[in-house]
Amino acid sequence: MKLGEKEKKIIYIVVSVAIVLCAFLLGYRNIDKKTKSLETEVKELDTKHKNYLTMKNNLPKYEKGIEEGDAEYLNILGDFNTGYTQEYALSFLKEVENASGAWISQAGFAQLEEVYSFGHVASSNPFYPSMAGYSTDNKGYKTVISTAFEGTYDSFKNLVDYINNYKFKCTIDSITAQNNRDTGIISGTMVISLYSIQGSDRDFTNVSFPYGMYGTKNIFDSKVFFPGANLQIKNGDNILSDNDFVISVQNASTGKAITVGPSNDTAGSQSVISEENAEKDVTIRVFQDKDKNYCVQYSIGDDKFPIVNYEDGMRFTPGNLLSILVVGSKRTDDSDLAAAKIKIINQTDMQVEVKKVNDDVKKPRCKIVATKGKVVEYK
C-alpha cells in the first residue's frame, strides 16, 4: 500500500508528538524526583540551620556551663589523691599520729584494688552521635590499712575526726575500742580505706623519707632517741604529705622540667610548666587582699599564673600550715641542665614553711636564692 503525502505528514506529526511527549514525561519524572530530593534536603538543612541559630544564641550559656562543669569536675577529682604507695601510706599514718596525738602501734597494708573504671561516654549531640563526648583512662583505686592504736580519750576523738575530715577521700570501715580505767588509755583497732583516682593526666608526687644517722652507745639507756610528736613538725616532714603548693624540678626529658602549682591541681590547669633544659627563675608570692583572703601568684621566667589579672592572684585556703614542697631529682649527666632559682615572697599573717627533698647532692637543681617575709626552710 502506498501512502500519500497527506498520510505521511500525519504519521510524522504523530511520531513527533509521541517523541516530544515521551521526552517530556521522562524528563518531568526525573526533574520531579530531583525536585522532591532537593525539597527534602532543604527541609533537613533548614532544621539544622534553625538548630545552629539556637546553639549560636545559647553560646554564652553553653560556655558558662562548660566552665562550671569543668570547675565542678576538677573539684570532685581534687577530693581524691592522684596515686598511692606504701611510702605514702606510712606518711599518712605519721600525719594522723601528729594531728591526733594517738599512737599507731601496728599497721598492715593491703594490695591496691581497682574499684571503678571511668570508661568512655558517647556525645549527646544528635548531629555527631559517633563522636566521643568524654574519654579518659582514669581509674578509681582503693587500698585498706588495718591498724592498732592507743591514746587518751581526746586523742581517740581527734583520730576519728581527722580521718573523717582528711583532705583526700578515705573512710573508716570498722573500729573497735576499749578503755582501761586504771590508765585512762583507750586502745583498739581501726580499718581505714584510702581512695585514689589515677590516670595519665593526674601527676602523683610520691613522698620521700630523707634518712638520718641516729644512734646511741647504749641502746638500753632510757634517754635513747625518742621520736616524739614534734619530730615531724620540727623537720618539716609533715609537708611531704600535707602541702599547699609544689615546685618540682626534673629531667627535661619528662616534658615537665619545672612545674609550679597547687598540690591538688591534678589536671595541671592551674600550674605553670617549663619544658626547657635550662636554669629558670621561679617566683612564688603569697599575700592577702583587702578582704584578708589568701591569694597566690607564681611564675617561671615570663610565664605566669594567673594568666589574667596576675596582680590580683588566685584565691586559696591554706590549712593549719602554709607550706611549699620543693621536689628535685638527681641529674642524669652533665647535659641535664634543668634547674630553678627560687624566690619566695610571703606577705600574709602566716608563716610559710618550705621543705626541699630529693635534690641532687653534688649539683642541686633547686636553689632558694631569696625569701621575703616569714619563711622557714627545712632541708
Side-chain angles (χ1 to χ4, degrees):
M1 177 181 174
K2 189 175 180 178
L3 297 175
E5 290 297 325
K6 185 178 180 180
E7 287 81 3
K8 288 181 180 179
K9 288 182 179 179
I10 292 174
I11 292 173
Y12 290 154
I13 291 171
V14 172
V15 171
S16 298
V17 171
I19 292 172
V20 171
L21 184 61
C22 289
F24 173 76
L25 289 175
L26 292 173
Y28 173 77
R29 287 177 179 176
N30 289 333
I31 292 172
D32 184 62
K33 183 178 180 181
K34 184 66 174 177
T35 300
K36 289 181 179 179
S37 174
L38 289 174
E39 287 177 348
T40 301
E41 186 177 352
V42 166
K43 288 181 180 179
E44 292 176 353
L45 291 174
D46 186 57
T47 301
K48 287 186 177 182
H49 181 252
K50 290 179 179 178
N51 286 332
Y52 288 147
L53 284 177
T54 302
M55 293 177 184
K56 182 180 179 181
N57 294 333
N58 291 332
L59 182 60
K61 181 175 71 173
Y62 296 151
E63 291 177 337
K64 182 180 179 181
I66 290 172
E67 291 178 359
E68 292 176 349
D70 286 343
E72 183 64 20
Y73 171 74
L74 294 176
N75 185 50
I76 293 173
L77 286 187
D79 290 337
F80 293 83
N81 204 347
T82 56
Y84 171 82
T85 62
Q86 287 195 352
E87 292 90 346
Y88 172 80
L90 288 169
S91 178
F92 167 75
L93 293 178
K94 191 175 182 185
E95 184 180 344
V96 169
E97 281 187 322
N98 289 334
S100 66
W103 174 42
I104 307 296
S105 58
Q106 296 180 39
F109 305 105
Q111 293 293 322
L112 200 62
E113 174 189 2
E114 181 181 336
V115 293
Y116 185 78
S117 179
F118 284 70
H120 304 270
V121 178
S123 172
S124 59
N125 189 330
F127 299 113
Y128 302 97
S130 62
M131 183 178 68
Y134 173 73
S135 179
T136 178
D137 63 352
N138 286 346
K139 293 182 179 180
Y141 292 91
K142 167 187 173 182
T143 190
V144 176
I145 305 177
S146 301
T147 66
F149 65 88
E150 292 182 14
T152 63
Y153 178 67
D154 287 337
S155 64
F156 171 63
K157 291 193 299 181
N158 293 338
L159 176 68
V160 174
D161 180 68
Y162 189 81
I163 295 174
N164 282 334
N165 294 284
Y166 192 60
K167 61 181 180 179
F168 294 127
K169 178 68 175 180
C170 60
T171 59
I172 299 175
D173 299 336
S174 65
I175 186 170
T176 64
Q178 57 184 9
N179 180 39
N180 187 321
R181 293 184 178 181
D182 296 331
T183 62
I185 297 296
I186 292 179
S187 59
T189 61
M190 182 182 295
V191 178
I192 308 167
S193 289
L194 301 181
Y195 297 87
S196 62
I197 296 177
Q198 304 179 27
S200 58
D201 62 341
R202 290 174 60 79
D203 295 332
F204 175 65
T205 302
N206 194 19
V207 298
S208 173
F209 291 96
Y211 68 88
M213 298 300 293
Y214 300 109
T216 178
K217 293 181 179 180
N218 182 3
I219 62 173
F220 301 103
D221 188 348
S222 61
K223 295 180 180 180
V224 70
F225 171 76
F226 172 72
N230 294 323
L231 173 68
Q232 188 179 20
I233 297 175
K234 179 180 178 181
N235 292 337
D237 290 346
N238 55 322
I239 300 174
L240 296 171
S241 58
D242 185 8
N243 47 75
D244 296 291
F245 302 98
V246 175
I247 301 174
S248 174
V249 187
Q250 309 296 320
N251 186 290
S253 63
T254 63
K256 297 180 179 180
I258 305 176
T259 304
V260 183
S263 58
N264 61 352
D265 182 28
T266 56
S269 60
Q270 297 175 341
S271 296
V272 179
I273 299 173
S274 170
E275 299 178 358
E276 295 183 43
N277 183 31
E279 186 175 68
K280 306 286 287 186
D281 291 325
V282 174
T283 301
I284 180 167
R285 171 179 172 244
V286 289
F287 59 97
Q288 291 173 272
D289 61 19
K290 62 180 180 180
D291 296 321
K292 298 299 182 181
N293 296 303
Y294 291 90
C295 303
V296 64
Q297 56 182 205
Y298 37 87
S299 63
I300 303 176
D302 295 329
D303 296 325
K304 300 177 179 180
F305 189 88
I307 299 175
V308 180
N309 299 325
Y310 174 73
E311 293 304 324
D312 293 337
M314 175 186 68
R315 290 186 181 180
F316 73 99
T317 302
N320 295 329
L321 298 174
L322 178 48
S323 55
I324 301 172
L325 178 64
V326 180
V327 183
S329 64
K330 186 177 181 181
R331 296 180 189 267
T332 56
D333 51 42
D334 292 338
S335 64
D336 186 356
L337 304 177
K341 294 166 62 178
I342 303 168
K343 181 178 181 181
I344 300 172
I345 302 172
N346 179 19
Q347 296 173 325
T348 72
D349 55 6
M350 296 182 68
Q351 177 174 277
V352 172
E353 302 194 12
V354 183
K355 178 71 174 180
K356 187 167 71 169
V357 296
N358 291 352
D359 207 357
D360 190 278
V361 177
K362 295 182 179 179
K363 192 177 180 182
R365 294 182 187 271
C366 310
K367 304 173 185 176
I368 300 178
V369 297
T371 61
K372 182 178 180 180
K374 295 183 291 183
V375 179
V376 175
E377 179 185 355
Y378 300 103
K379 298 180 180 179

